[in-house]
Amino acid sequence: MRALKVLIADDFENSRQSIRKILLSVGIENIHVTATGKGVLDECKTKKFDLILCDYNLGHGKNGQQVLEEVRSLGYLKSTALFVIISAETSRDVVMGIMEASPDEYLTKPFTQSVLVKRIERLVQQNGELSEIKKALADSNYASVLTLCNQLIKVGSRYSAWCRRKMAEAFFETKQFEKTKSLCHLVQSKRDLDWAMVLEAQVMNATGSAQDAITHLNKVVAQFPNCIKAFDLLAEYLEEKGDSEQAQDFLESAVELSPRVMTRQQSLVNLSLSNGDLDVALRSSQQALKLSANSHFASADQYLQAAQVISESIIGDASAEARKKSQDAFSMLNQMAKKFPDDASTQLHKILIESQVFSSLGKRDQANLALKEGKSMLEEHAGLLTPDIALEMGKVLYATGQHDAANEMFNHILNDKNVDKRLIAKTYAFLDEPVGLTARLKAKQDNLVGLSFYENKRYEDAIVAFKKAQKSSPIHPGLNMNLVQTALKLMETTERQQSLIDICIDSLDRIKHISVQHKQFKRYRSLKSYVVRNFQA
């Protein structure tokens, strides 16, 4: 204890001095203090501390969670350093965010001298036994981790449970899956443990049993509803399996539990965009941008993503709210240009988003000028035409009425076998519904009304509702096929009618962009074959 080099970070002078007096009272004399997150970074850059006591709220600038993430990322902490976050915050989203950052200890205010001293004593004692293992973990030396943990378990260490978990994780990292599974079963002989159950699911997925992993993770979230890792993995595995809508449900649950993780919010934006869910994408992109403030992991991406979602959400919307959103998008792009040096790719992204916003506002001349600038950049730098840029260029061309040129860009993505499947899904999501958020929400509501009528066998009312939805979103595959299916059902129960046949032919013609890669291709092929065979032969 006496040999510890300690850093205290708190924006209140009284708090800093109070903690300093407590440490002095137990013989700790090598004490440094700072009032800001930047101060922590500056101190850690030049000194190697044994213990950092950091308040969550550090006034303006970085909070304690962001500080911990940054000093770890930059390698400013030695492997045995202890980082304790102190906080008076009690809201679940803050607490969950702190816990996900995995400090060595989390201490809530107010606390007594006795509580602080006992926590430090416990951490120092733990470090005394586990320091060599922590060093091996920092070096990814899993063979040493296994040997050292096994030695402590054999002598009956009080940290045997911790050691078994690290051994199980080391077995997994070294692809010793049977040993991972056996150890997980062993530690759960008396009661289920969330981390062990999650690790079992990871083994299942790694060994080719993705569906078993999904089933197992569903048990985990039912038994441990606060296990964030299980929700994240469910979203990941379901998306890999092709069930992106259910994946989004689980990722939204993870965000609801712990919304203060920027990367998770960005993942939700990407997933919801691939599902065509602009409402969720809009909320999550704005939250991700907010979380990027003062974050070490902030980049131009959060600004581009947020502005891009806005540009898509206001397509065809002339309302005052849409105009306000457009100004928000321009503001985001200008802030990005000031904060981050523009490389060619970032600059091109910015120009294309600006063009789409201008187009949505009905400012065609400005939209075309921006588009012309974007095209010039592509001519100068052919390597800039990545699949991501092709998608944005396609959206802008579509918005400015250049549909043939837009389709060339979309085909650049859809015909490339090496393109990420999420980008393909995003492309189809736009092609399926190239309308703004207001129109999408209206179509969704009318479609739900139509489905309710259909379920109650009120087919004529369902057709009216689906046609209403079709006016808001003319080429949406789902609702057009709902309309076809309802018309066919009505003819089954009444008689063949040319008006209903015309509805089927028109609706299928609207969605002829669907190809074999589209998630609704099988349904489309089945309905089209039936209509051709029975009504167009």
Side-chain angles (χ1 to χ4, degrees), residues 220-244:
V220 178
V221 297
Q223 195 168 345
F224 301 97
N226 288 326
C227 183
I228 299 289
K229 180 74 171 176
F231 285 100
D232 284 338
L233 287 175
L234 271 167
E236 180 185 328
Y237 296 166
L238 282 163
E239 188 179 7
E240 286 174 358
K241 189 169 173 276
D243 193 346
S244 60

Side-chain angles (χ1 to χ4, degrees), residues 333-344:
L333 293 171
N334 289 334
Q335 287 177 49
M336 180 202 71
K338 290 176 183 177
K339 274 195 165 189
F340 303 98
D342 278 350
D343 61 20

Side-chain angles (χ1 to χ4, degrees), residues 271-321:
L271 186 53
S272 54
L273 280 176
S274 68
N275 287 331
D277 193 340
L278 274 179
D279 193 23
V280 171
L282 191 61
R283 291 198 304 270
S284 293
S285 63
Q286 290 170 344
Q287 184 65 11
L289 182 58
K290 183 179 176 182
L291 291 170
S292 73
N294 304 309
S295 171
H296 174 62
F297 304 106
S299 68
D301 291 343
Q302 291 90 37
Y303 290 87
L304 288 170
Q305 191 182 55
Q308 176 188 336
V309 175
I310 288 176
S311 73
E312 198 165 330
S313 73
I314 61 173
I315 293 172
D317 189 346
S319 67
E321 184 182 356

Side-chain angles (χ1 to χ4, degrees), residues 52-233:
I52 299 170
L53 301 168
C54 183
D55 198 73
Y56 178 78
N57 288 309
L58 295 170
H60 297 295
K62 299 177 187 296
N63 60 43
Q65 178 185 331
Q66 291 173 323
V67 169
L68 172 56
E69 291 168 346
E70 187 160 348
V71 291
R72 277 187 181 153
S73 175
L74 294 172
Y76 288 173
L77 295 180
K78 59 183 182 179
S79 59
T80 55
L82 299 166
F83 198 108
V84 178
I85 292 184
I86 300 169
S87 178
E89 294 279 354
T90 56
S91 62
R92 188 178 74 171
D93 61 329
V94 171
V95 174
M96 292 295 284
I98 291 172
M99 298 313 292
E100 282 205 77
S102 300
D104 294 282
E105 187 64 87
Y106 171 54
L107 189 60
T108 56
K109 288 182 176 180
F111 53 82
T112 64
Q113 175 172 330
S114 173
V115 167
L116 178 60
V117 172
K118 283 181 179 177
R119 294 284 181 94
I120 294 173
E121 285 177 342
R122 188 180 70 190
L123 287 169
V124 171
Q125 183 180 24
Q126 184 185 55
N127 246 8
E129 280 201 47
L130 304 178
S131 60
E132 292 304 312
I133 299 173
K134 288 185 175 183
K135 289 175 185 175
L137 284 168
D139 294 334
S140 300
N141 186 346
Y142 297 114
S144 291
V145 170
L146 291 167
T147 300
L148 293 166
C149 284
N150 208 28
Q151 288 172 357
L152 283 184
I153 292 168
K154 283 182 178 178
V155 298
S157 169
R158 65 189 297 182
Y159 304 112
S160 293
W162 183 91
C163 288
R164 288 191 181 94
R165 177 171 183 172
K166 296 305 169 188
M167 285 184 72
E169 291 168 351
F171 282 137
F172 182 76
E173 290 296 332
T174 53
K175 302 188 186 304
Q176 299 180 66
F177 298 131
E178 282 303 317
K179 288 184 178 180
T180 309
K181 195 162 55 174
S182 296
L183 190 47
C184 286
H185 289 163
L186 175 65
V187 299
Q188 295 183 101
S189 57
K190 292 183 179 178
R191 64 186 177 91
D192 288 335
L193 299 169
D194 57 352
W195 68 263
M197 292 180 73
V198 166
L199 201 49
E200 285 180 284
Q202 289 178 280
V203 169
M204 292 173 192
N205 188 67
T207 54
S209 302
Q211 185 54 54
D212 289 341
I214 291 167
T215 302
H216 194 66
L217 287 168
N218 271 298
K219 292 177 184 175
V220 178
V221 297
Q223 195 168 345
F224 301 97
N226 288 326
C227 183
I228 299 289
K229 180 74 171 176
F231 285 100
D232 284 338
L233 287 175

Side-chain angles (χ1 to χ4, degrees), residues 390-502:
L391 176 56
E392 292 315 304
M393 179 64 85
K395 289 177 182 178
V396 174
L397 289 166
Y398 193 97
T400 53
Q402 301 174 60
H403 291 185
D404 289 341
N407 287 329
E408 281 184 29
M409 286 294 166
F410 296 139
N411 289 332
H412 180 79
I413 300 165
L414 300 176
N415 295 332
D416 187 342
K417 294 179 181 178
N418 297 316
V419 169
D420 181 76
K421 60 184 179 182
R422 184 180 277 185
L423 192 64
I424 290 173
K426 282 185 184 179
T427 305
Y428 274 123
F430 180 81
L431 286 169
D432 290 348
E433 206 166 14
V435 296
L437 180 58
T438 302
R440 289 189 188 207
L441 293 175
K442 180 74 169 61
K444 183 178 181 180
Q445 185 58 42
D446 290 332
N447 188 50
L448 288 172
V449 171
L451 289 171
S452 177
F453 283 138
Y454 184 89
E455 288 172 7
N456 290 293
K457 299 182 180 180
R458 294 170 57 181
Y459 301 126
E460 291 180 347
D461 290 331
I463 286 175
V464 172
F466 289 137
K467 290 196 80 170
K468 192 176 177 185
Q470 197 183 54
K471 287 181 180 178
S472 299
S473 187
I475 60 174
H476 187 275
L479 72 86
N480 273 289
M481 285 190 277
N482 289 344
L483 189 48
V484 173
Q485 201 163 323
T486 307
L488 293 175
K489 200 72 176 175
L490 183 57
M491 283 192 282
E492 279 181 21
T493 58
T494 55
E495 60 183 357
R496 177 176 173 140
Q497 299 176 42
Q498 188 59 45
S499 60
L500 295 175
I501 295 171
D502 291 341

